[in-house]
Amino acid sequence: MKIDYSAIGKRVKIYRKARKMSQEELAEVIDISVPHMCNIENGKTKFSLPILVGLANALQVRPDMLLYDQINDKGQTRAMVLGEIEAQLADCTEVQMQMLGKALCNEKKLLIQYEEKLKENGCDPVHLK
């Protein structure tokens, strides 16, 4: 499997800008040089697993969010949705996080009930658009 360092670098840059961090700040947090950080974002260099983990921690994302297109098709939808959720949660307070967690659990219960009703009525919820 070939790793697309250019695509990973683009995602690093997107998450860094979303966190309002400069390349210098991110490089300092993960203890690498600014030119190395620049080369990572431009896809001009390979980097180690500890740097990948450091980037993920500093950007407050899971490593798989940086490796997104290295994930198979089944995992891509999950990764995309989790990325959107993480972006929304990035600036939440603890209270907001707890409330949103409870709301998500309640929403999932409602979706399950809705799908069960559809099945009872002979509809296949997987094929609904």
Side-chain angles (χ1 to χ4, degrees), residues 111-123:
L111 284 170
I112 290 169
Q113 291 172 358
Y114 176 70
E115 288 175 347
E116 287 171 355
K117 289 281 186 193
L118 287 174
K119 288 177 186 176
E120 287 174 10
N121 292 322
C123 296

Side-chain angles (χ1 to χ4, degrees), residues 4 6-7 9 13 21 28 41 51 55 57 59 61 71 81 85-86 88 95-96 99 101 107 117-119:
D4 187 348
S6 179
K13 185 175 185 176
M21 294 177 80
E28 183 177 333
E41 285 191 2
I51 290 188
L55 287 166
N57 285 335
L59 297 170
V61 297
I71 301 169
V81 170
I85 291 170
E86 284 182 354
Q88 291 299 315
V95 172
Q96 291 170 336
M99 292 175 72
E107 188 65 27
K117 289 281 186 193
L118 287 174
K119 288 177 186 176

Side-chain angles (χ1 to χ4, degrees), residues 30-90:
I30 63 171
D31 198 29
I32 62 171
S33 70
V34 175
H36 189 47
M37 184 71 250
C38 182
N39 285 332
I40 288 172
E41 285 191 2
N42 292 324
K44 294 181 180 178
T45 189
K46 295 180 180 181
F47 51 88
S48 66
L49 185 57
I51 290 188
L52 174 67
V53 172
L55 287 166
N57 285 335
L59 297 170
Q60 301 173 351
V61 297
R62 293 181 330 278
D64 64 306
M65 298 308 299
L66 300 176
L67 299 170
Y68 176 70
D69 62 351
Q70 306 299 314
I71 301 169
N72 65 28
D73 288 341
K74 186 176 180 182
Q76 284 186 359
T77 300
R78 182 180 187 87
M80 181 184 68
V81 170
L82 289 173
E84 291 172 8
I85 291 170
E86 284 182 354
Q88 291 299 315
L89 298 177

